[in-house]
Amino acid sequence: MLAVSSSGDESAPAAPSSDVSLTINGERHVLTVDNRTSLLDLLRERLGLTGTKKGCDQGACGACTVLVDDKRVNACLTLAVRCESSAVTTIEGLADGDRLHPLQKAFVERDAFQCGYCTPGQIMSGVGCISEGHTGSREEIREWMSGNICRCGCYVNIVSAVRDAADGR
């Protein structure tokens, strides 16, 4: 049913919304969000955390990969309301001040990026891959990182960076 304003104009009903409380990069946030809002849009548009990239917006490229409760997720396919009481880590939350996360450092040392658009998602997926224990071989890393696409073709260097970080180099 359409709502009618006092001027007699019909308008669409308000979208259902919910309050959501989540911790992002160690900081607690309580927000009211449209129930259809993706975690990606919440991060980028509401909180200004633009390091997480919007690539395909269909879960196929991995540019939006973040960690939710230390598990890799495509933020474009994850509803923000589903993250209630969760801890979300984005690329902005990896470094400790000016001290890069070991995988960020390995990406720089291995020159594991060209255009850089996929880099945040690749790094977040790599952090998940390492914590999940999927770094036994270059083939295993490639398999477990296969949901992250690099149009520049830096896969060899990305795998090397993940391997270095996993080995503590």
Side-chain angles (χ1 to χ4, degrees):
M1 178 173 194
L2 295 176
V4 179
S5 70
S6 59
S7 66
D9 294 334
E10 291 185 3
S11 61
S17 62
S18 298
D19 291 334
V20 64
S21 174
L22 61 163
T23 302
I24 301 171
N25 299 329
E27 185 179 330
R28 194 78 169 151
H29 295 271
V30 179
L31 305 147
T32 300
V33 297
D34 179 318
N35 290 345
R36 302 166 294 182
T37 302
S38 69
L39 178 59
L40 176 61
D41 288 340
L42 175 73
L43 294 169
R44 291 182 58 80
E45 296 171 17
R46 294 277 306 272
L47 300 175
L49 297 171
T50 57
T52 303
K53 303 302 181 203
K54 184 178 274 197
C56 67
D57 212 21
Q58 298 175 357
C61 72
C64 66
T65 304
V66 298
L67 303 177
V68 176
D69 295 328
D70 297 322
K71 292 179 177 64
R72 297 182 275 179
V73 301
N74 289 330
C76 72
L77 296 181
T78 304
L79 292 174
V81 295
R82 298 286 295 171
C83 296
E84 172 65 33
S85 302
S86 294
V88 178
T89 306
T90 70
I91 192 71
E92 292 92 344
L94 279 187
D96 183 12
D98 289 337
R99 194 171 131 242
L100 294 178
H101 182 279
L103 188 52
Q104 290 172 309
K105 186 176 181 208
F107 259 66
V108 172
E109 291 171 354
R110 286 290 188 165
D111 196 24
F113 52 89
Q114 282 185 25
C115 80
Y117 197 81
C118 74
T119 304
Q122 294 279 1
I123 290 173
M124 296 309 297
S125 188
V127 168
C129 189
I130 292 166
S131 70
E132 294 161 10
H134 298 299
T135 58
S137 67
R138 296 181 69 78
E139 293 76 24
E140 184 178 24
I141 293 168
R142 277 195 295 273
E143 175 67 26
W144 286 92
M145 294 285 294
S146 64
N148 292 81
I149 297 173
C150 172
R151 291 189 170 137
C152 301
C154 292
Y155 296 112
V156 171
N157 295 0
I158 290 168
V159 170
S160 294
V162 172
R163 189 71 185 252
D164 287 355
D167 292 343
R169 289 186 234 159

